[in-house]
Amino acid sequence: MTGSPLGRNDAALLVRDLRASGTTSVPVLAPFTGEVLHNLPLSSARDVTDATAAARSAQRDWRRSGPAARRAVLLRAHDRLLAGRERVLDALQTETGKTRGQAFEEVFQGASVTRYYAVSATSVLRTHSRRAGIPLVVRTRVGFRPKGVVGVITPWNYPVSLALMDIVPALAAGNAVVQKADNQGALSILAARRAFIDAGLPPDLWAVVAGDGDEIGNAVVDATDYVCFTGSTATGTRVAERAASSLTGVSLELGGKNPLLVLDDVNPASAAANAVYSCFSSMGQLCVSIERIYVQRAVADAFIGAFVERVGALKAGPAFDWTTDVGSLTSAAQLARVQSHVDDAVAKGARVLVGGRARPDLGPFFFEPTVLTDVTADMECFAHETFGPVVVITVVDTEQQAVLAANSSEFGLNASVFTGSVARGRRVADRIDAGSVNINEGYRATFSSVDAPMGGMKKSGLGRRNGPEGLLRFVESRTVASSTGLLTLPRTGPEFARMSGIMVALLVALRLARRR
């Protein structure tokens, strides 16, 4: 089935679900054309306050509904998201400028996390026994309580998948959500949210607001009980500082300058084909996208030749079908950032192996996928995140040099190792400072592994999404321990004197039995 761009009528139907009571709006442009897609109503701080109050009320009933009821709603939402995927794909392409295939990745990921947490939440969050300090005398159980209302602040680049990777586990754990959508991704989020509402999720349980980050983003941080933020390191740091003032917990997925290591035992042509997608999916506007490639000299010529040829053959265009390989940058600001990084590098001596030019003949924000070499530390693209279709290739002599270069960054979000031996890849992966490391894949191997934690090291973030870890951040663990009455614990000095020998003997016995 071939898709089509969202029109003003489609946008008007979707934005009715936005919590925005005022009359102020801002124009949102369609990246493929540069024309105004719609005027987005802006929320106010009062809208955030009202949405949070309604969410708290809805959350009490949602929590009391129990795990089975929540599971049923989320599984229906999974089915409705897939059944209505064409509308969501149209919204994603219209707002972000990505290809149909790369939009589909978002829907696939969103459905995956919805199914995963619907099915796994009950077992992860069940109340369970823990070993007591004095076996038989004390019984200890650990249970979980939802935090309440979770604030989720999402960016424009992957509005559906990044939203659902935080929102679904929050809901599965019994919380409500107030989400601040980026203006450029609000329609996609609202289209995905509609599947959940149609599946029976109470509308107040997941509220969506939009507007200026300083006003609306701060209001969400102040009003909620836990905050998930995805975006730049600079903004994420400010979110963490603001949340810390009220001891509100946060999880942050922030920037990356992600490396790919090409070792000397690869098939160069095969490695090049897989590496291209790792760099240019969604035009590099992806936190886990590869921006640095370190290739060992023994295979460098063959790999670089094949890589450059594959990049040059990528088909770009504003198509709402499956015929293109790369799409458009999302905004004029993105185009300016990419162009400035390339111009700065070239002015300081870097070579462009392929690409390097804007393509206004295709649309206002198109830019050719670009490969640079001879990049030095004084260039903007050397250490700073470009967040666009630009990758730097550097030739190294040894595996150790590649690892050292990969780790020579303030970021540690994602990395990749291409090798002919998975065992060798795992050994190298163990030496790389990144929260996720892929072997013979750029980012999708770890990104799609929804049962495994995902997050950054160093300045790439705090906390983890996905897996049990991604669920447990949304609950408070509570310990309840009871005395069995088998033995009365000492309370007075003489009682301690009589029992201390018995208690020491117990410790020695547990040690000899290697019991915890």
Side-chain angles (χ1 to χ4, degrees):
M1 182 181 294
T2 299
S4 60
L6 288 185
R8 286 180 177 266
N9 290 338
D10 302 309
L13 289 172
L14 289 171
V15 298
R16 289 188 305 181
D17 290 338
L18 190 72
R19 295 294 294 253
S21 60
T23 58
T24 305
S25 63
V26 294
V28 176
L29 304 185
F32 281 161
T33 65
E35 298 173 353
V36 174
L37 168 61
H38 70 115
N39 289 295
L40 179 72
L42 295 183
S43 306
S44 65
R46 179 59 184 268
D47 290 319
V48 175
T49 301
D50 291 345
T52 304
R56 288 197 186 282
S57 179
Q59 188 266 336
R60 288 191 286 270
D61 291 336
W62 178 247
R63 179 188 175 190
R64 284 194 295 263
S65 70
R70 294 195 290 269
R71 171 190 173 117
V73 170
L74 293 177
L75 287 177
R76 287 197 299 270
H78 167 276
D79 296 344
R80 288 184 176 268
L81 181 63
L82 291 181
R85 65 187 179 278
E86 295 299 329
R87 186 187 195 198
V88 180
L89 293 174
D90 290 344
L92 282 166
Q93 285 199 270
T94 301
E95 285 192 305
T96 67
K98 62 182 62 179
T99 67
R100 197 75 171 175
Q102 288 147 18
F104 177 77
E105 280 192 350
E106 287 211 56
V107 173
F108 180 91
Q109 184 76 357
S112 293
V113 297
T114 302
R115 181 200 70 252
Y116 173 78
Y117 284 115
V119 173
S120 66
T122 300
S123 61
V124 173
L125 298 180
R126 76 184 190 283
T127 298
H128 58 279
S129 298
R130 292 283 183 94
R131 186 172 301 281
I134 307 177
L136 303 180
V137 177
V138 173
R139 288 178 181 155
T140 303
R141 291 166 65 82
V142 174
F144 301 95
R145 175 179 290 178
K147 287 184 178 288
V149 179
V150 174
V152 177
I153 303 174
T154 46
W156 48 264
N157 60 321
Y158 271 67
V160 170
S161 58
L162 292 178
L164 295 183
M165 289 162 76
D166 289 334
I167 290 168
V168 171
L171 295 173
N175 298 281
V177 171
V178 175
Q179 178 188 10
K180 181 199 173 293
D182 188 276
N183 295 352
Q184 194 67 42
L187 296 183
S188 299
I189 288 166
L190 292 169
R193 176 183 176 273
R194 176 47 51 185
F196 286 74
I197 304 306
D198 291 344
L201 189 79
D204 287 339
L205 201 68
W206 174 3
V208 181
V209 294
D212 177 72
D214 286 342
E215 179 185 3
I216 305 307
N218 286 343
V220 169
V221 173
D222 293 344
T224 55
D225 306 307
Y226 187 87
V227 178
C228 303
F229 173 85
T230 305
S232 71
T233 296
T235 304
T237 300
R238 293 197 297 272
V239 167
E241 290 171 347
R242 190 176 188 97
S245 67
S246 59
L247 298 182
T248 300
V250 297
S251 59
L252 311 170
E253 188 195 297
L254 307 178
K257 190 70 177 176
N258 307 304
L260 186 156
L261 284 61
V262 182
L263 305 184
D264 56 10
D265 58 351
V266 299
N267 177 308
S270 176
N274 289 325
V276 168
Y277 191 87
S278 308
C279 303
F280 301 113
S281 175
S282 294
M283 290 294 280
Q285 298 171 123
L286 174 60
C287 293
V288 292
S289 180
I290 297 299
E291 294 196 10
R292 301 180 285 152
I293 296 178
Y294 300 102
V295 54
Q296 283 193 261
R297 193 173 302 278
V299 294
D301 289 344
F303 172 83
I304 293 172
F307 186 82
V308 169
E309 182 179 359
R310 296 281 303 209
V311 172
L314 292 173
K315 182 178 180 181
F320 282 85
D321 54 29
W322 309 89
T323 59
T324 54
D325 304 314
V326 291
S328 171
L329 291 166
T330 301
S331 66
Q334 279 296 103
L335 177 64
R337 179 181 178 88
V338 171
Q339 188 72 69
S340 69
H341 273 214
V342 173
D343 290 347
D344 171 76
V346 171
K348 294 174 180 175
R351 290 189 297 130
V352 177
L353 300 184
V354 65
R357 298 180 299 124
R359 291 292 304 275
D361 55 311
L362 297 176
F365 309 138
F366 278 83
F367 196 91
E368 292 177 341
T370 300
V371 181
L372 300 177
T373 190
D374 297 336
V375 168
T376 53
D378 60 331
M379 301 174 187
E380 281 295 308
C381 67
F382 179 84
H384 297 105
E385 186 178 27
T386 302
F387 211 65
V390 178
V391 65
V392 173
I393 296 182
T394 302
V395 178
V396 296
D397 290 311
T398 67
E399 177 186 296
Q400 177 66 8
Q401 285 180 334
V403 171
L404 290 174
N407 289 340
S408 181
S409 172
E410 65 180 355
F411 299 110
L413 184 59
N414 181 54
S416 179
V417 180
F418 279 27
T419 172
S421 165
V422 172
R424 183 185 183 190
R426 287 176 177 151
R427 290 194 299 271
V428 172
D430 286 343
R431 296 154 59 196
I432 294 177
D433 300 332
S436 298
V437 183
N438 302 263
I439 297 173
N440 295 329
E441 232 294 318
Y443 68 85
R444 290 183 292 184
T446 54
F447 193 76
S448 64
S449 298
V450 295
D451 189 37
M454 173 190 171
M457 299 168 63
K458 297 187 278 189
K459 289 190 176 181
S460 287
L462 295 172
R464 294 293 183 266
R465 55 164 47 119
N466 289 353
E469 295 86 346
L471 185 66
L472 291 171
R473 59 190 164 142
F474 297 119
V475 294
E476 300 285 2
S477 58
R478 301 172 68 245
T479 299
V480 176
S482 60
S483 173
T484 66
L486 182 65
L487 182 70
T488 300
L489 295 176
R491 295 156 297 191
T492 66
E495 290 175 347
F496 271 103
R498 288 194 301 270
M499 294 190 64
S500 61
I502 297 173
M503 296 175 76
V504 168
L506 173 65
L507 292 174
V508 171
L510 290 172
R511 166 67 177 86
L512 292 174
R514 298 186 179 182
R515 303 294 294 272
R516 290 181 295 169

